[in-house]
């Protein structure tokens, strides 16, 4: 495996950050997102707003913001024919990668960011500090919360510490170049971090002191929970999850809404992807990911056994 380039570790002042934000018909949320971007304690050195073929007022909202702020550009991609499932075709990732090709300034960190977010005010400052303090940090992102409709309070969406959610992906240049090209299919946002760890980089979700970034459109709410579960099943196959891990995922989803059907949709997604023999992660990445999953399962089993022995001794 390739080694890590530590040349950036010598930088102690700041990093050059380019943020690429793609959007498609996001007029409902884009204003809120841009207001939270303007409020950043540390604004990115370049902000690229990529209109991915919107038919609503999103391009105008982006253009007005760019006219009022330095270091902001709006770029447009041509409209595409409607697709049955935009997320399944990873069009959002394709727009981000296209945006990366348009970067014409030096950079150290490139950020993939969704437009349906209300950013924590210290997000970029926190991430920059994390990368400066940890030379092996290849990618990082924010924990995300949603506003509970019943209580009005923020509730964090589930996320393991070593998983970086797709809506806020900060890549160190050396890591990004080493794991490229990113696969443009469902599961890419897990394959990228497995590949990074395989090359010796760390991938971390990081809590911001001012609080989590708010996900204005909760995960799975774009076009229904069942379709989201079905997609996650496809992701499980494409990233090469170990069969035991898949079974445990099915069991864990028994409590998700809608009850039972969430698990069945996830399993149906995995089985349909397997039957189609969908494209998967590269064999080396698949093997590394499975070794990580088995190591995690062994660790959990040992922890559970220790807890039981401790309970028996106490009795």
């Amino acid at each position: 495996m390739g080694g890590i380039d530590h040349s950036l570790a010598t930088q102690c002042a700041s990093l050059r950050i380019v943020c690429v934000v793609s959007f498609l018909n996001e007029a409902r949320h884009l204003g809120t997102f841009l207001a939270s971007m303007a409020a950043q304690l540390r604004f990115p050195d370049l902000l690229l707003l990529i209109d991915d073929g919107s038919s609503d007022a999103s391009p105008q909202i982006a253009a007005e913001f760019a006219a009022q702020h330095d270091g902001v550009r709006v770029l447009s991609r041509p409209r595409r024919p409607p697709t049955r499932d935009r997320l399944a075709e990873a069009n959002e990732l394709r727009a981000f990668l296209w945006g990366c090709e348009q970067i014409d300034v030096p950079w150290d960190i490139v950020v993939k960011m969704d437009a349906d977010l209300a950013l924590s005010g210290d997000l970029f400052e926190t991430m920059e500090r994390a990368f400066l303090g940890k030379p092996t940090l290849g990618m990082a992102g924010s924990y995300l919360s949603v506003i509970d409709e019943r209580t009005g309070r923020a509730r964090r969406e589930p996320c393991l510490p070593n998983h970086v959610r797709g809506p806020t992906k900060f890549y160190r240049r050396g890591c990004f170049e080493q794991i490229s090209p990113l696969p443009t299919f469902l599961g890419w946002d897990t394959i990228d971090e497995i590949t990074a760890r395989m090359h010796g980089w760390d991938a971390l979700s990081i809590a911001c002191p001012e609080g989590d970034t708010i996900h204005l459109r909760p995960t799975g709410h774009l076009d229904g929970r069942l379709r989201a579960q079905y997609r996650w099943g496809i992701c499980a196959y494409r990233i090469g999850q170990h069969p035991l891990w898949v079974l445990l995922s099915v069991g864990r989803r028994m409590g998700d809404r809608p009850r039972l059907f969430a698990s069945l949709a996830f399993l149906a997604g995995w089985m349909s992807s397997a039957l189609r023999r969908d494209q998967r992660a590269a064999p080396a990445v698949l093997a590394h990911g499975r070794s990580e999953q088995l190591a995690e399962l062994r660790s959990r089993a040992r922890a559970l056994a220790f807890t039981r022995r401790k309970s028996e001794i106490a009795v």
Side-chain angles (χ1 to χ4, degrees):
M1 302 301 173
I4 295 175
D5 180 3
H6 291 283
S7 58
L8 290 180
T10 60
Q11 301 182 56
C12 58
S14 63
L15 299 171
R16 296 164 296 188
I17 302 176
V18 175
C19 182
V20 180
V21 182
S22 67
F23 59 87
L24 174 65
N25 296 331
E26 280 289 1
R28 179 181 178 186
H29 299 304
L30 188 57
T32 299
F33 168 77
L34 292 174
S36 69
M37 180 66 77
Q40 288 298 300
L41 297 174
R42 197 280 193 224
F43 198 79
D45 298 280
L46 175 62
L47 174 61
L48 294 180
L49 301 175
I50 311 296
D51 172 31
D52 198 23
S54 299
S55 58
D56 65 0
S58 299
Q60 290 76 20
I61 295 171
E64 290 172 5
F65 183 83
Q68 298 168 8
H69 297 83
D70 294 331
V72 182
R73 301 180 198 165
V74 180
L75 302 175
S76 298
R77 279 160 57 84
R79 292 187 185 180
R80 298 180 309 277
T83 59
R84 186 177 178 185
D85 190 343
R86 180 173 184 265
L87 293 179
E89 297 181 11
N91 286 329
E92 179 187 351
L93 174 63
R94 295 173 193 270
F96 164 70
L97 296 176
W98 180 86
C100 289
E101 295 174 356
Q102 315 311 310
I103 299 174
D104 57 1
V105 298
W107 60 274
D108 303 310
I109 304 292
V110 66
V111 186
K112 177 201 169 291
M113 191 164 284
D114 289 358
D116 60 345
L117 304 171
L119 308 178
S120 170
D122 60 346
L123 174 61
F124 280 81
E125 181 184 68
T126 299
M127 294 300 155
E128 181 178 43
R129 188 183 303 119
F131 279 101
L132 286 169
K134 191 177 180 64
T136 59
L137 184 60
M139 52 191 300
S142 170
Y143 284 104
L144 302 177
S145 287
V146 296
I147 301 300
D148 191 292
E149 296 178 354
R150 293 173 297 178
T151 65
R153 296 178 180 177
R155 170 176 50 81
R156 179 174 288 181
E157 293 186 310
C159 180
L160 295 173
N162 65 343
H163 175 53
V164 181
R165 299 282 304 280
T168 61
K169 289 264 193 180
F170 288 68
Y171 295 96
R172 192 188 293 272
R173 184 165 191 159
C175 175
F176 186 74
E177 291 177 346
Q178 199 164 27
I179 67 176
S180 294
L182 298 180
T184 51
F185 54 75
L186 277 175
W188 70 267
D189 54 347
T190 298
I191 292 173
D192 62 348
E193 61 194 30
I194 295 174
T195 308
R197 288 193 294 268
M198 187 176 72
H199 287 293
W201 297 99
D202 293 313
L204 297 172
S205 277
I206 298 172
C208 295
E210 289 192 5
D212 292 351
T213 285
I214 302 300
H215 208 176
L216 301 174
R217 184 188 295 112
T219 302
H221 280 55
L222 177 62
D223 50 10
R225 289 189 175 94
L226 287 180
R227 175 171 276 194
Q229 293 287 355
Y230 185 84
R231 285 197 201 99
W232 285 326
I234 295 174
C235 289
Y237 176 79
R238 286 182 176 266
I239 68 177
Q241 282 188 357
H242 191 280
L244 181 57
W245 192 277
V246 172
L247 289 175
L248 291 173
S249 294
V250 170
R252 180 179 64 79
R253 284 172 164 79
M254 288 290 185
D256 291 349
R257 296 179 180 178
R259 307 287 185 185
L260 180 61
F261 290 101
S263 290
L264 293 176
F266 174 84
L267 184 59
W270 184 87
M271 293 180 65
S272 66
S273 191
L275 290 172
R276 289 193 303 266
R277 296 185 178 275
D278 284 344
Q279 185 179 358
R280 309 178 82 182
V285 176
L286 188 150
H288 190 84
R290 287 191 171 186
S291 69
E292 288 183 339
Q293 293 155 20
L294 290 175
E296 176 66 19
L297 291 175
R298 286 192 292 267
S299 176
R300 293 183 186 183
R302 286 194 295 268
L304 180 60
F306 175 77
T307 301
R308 286 181 175 177
R309 285 198 300 270
K310 197 172 180 180
S311 177
E312 291 171 356
I313 294 172
V315 173

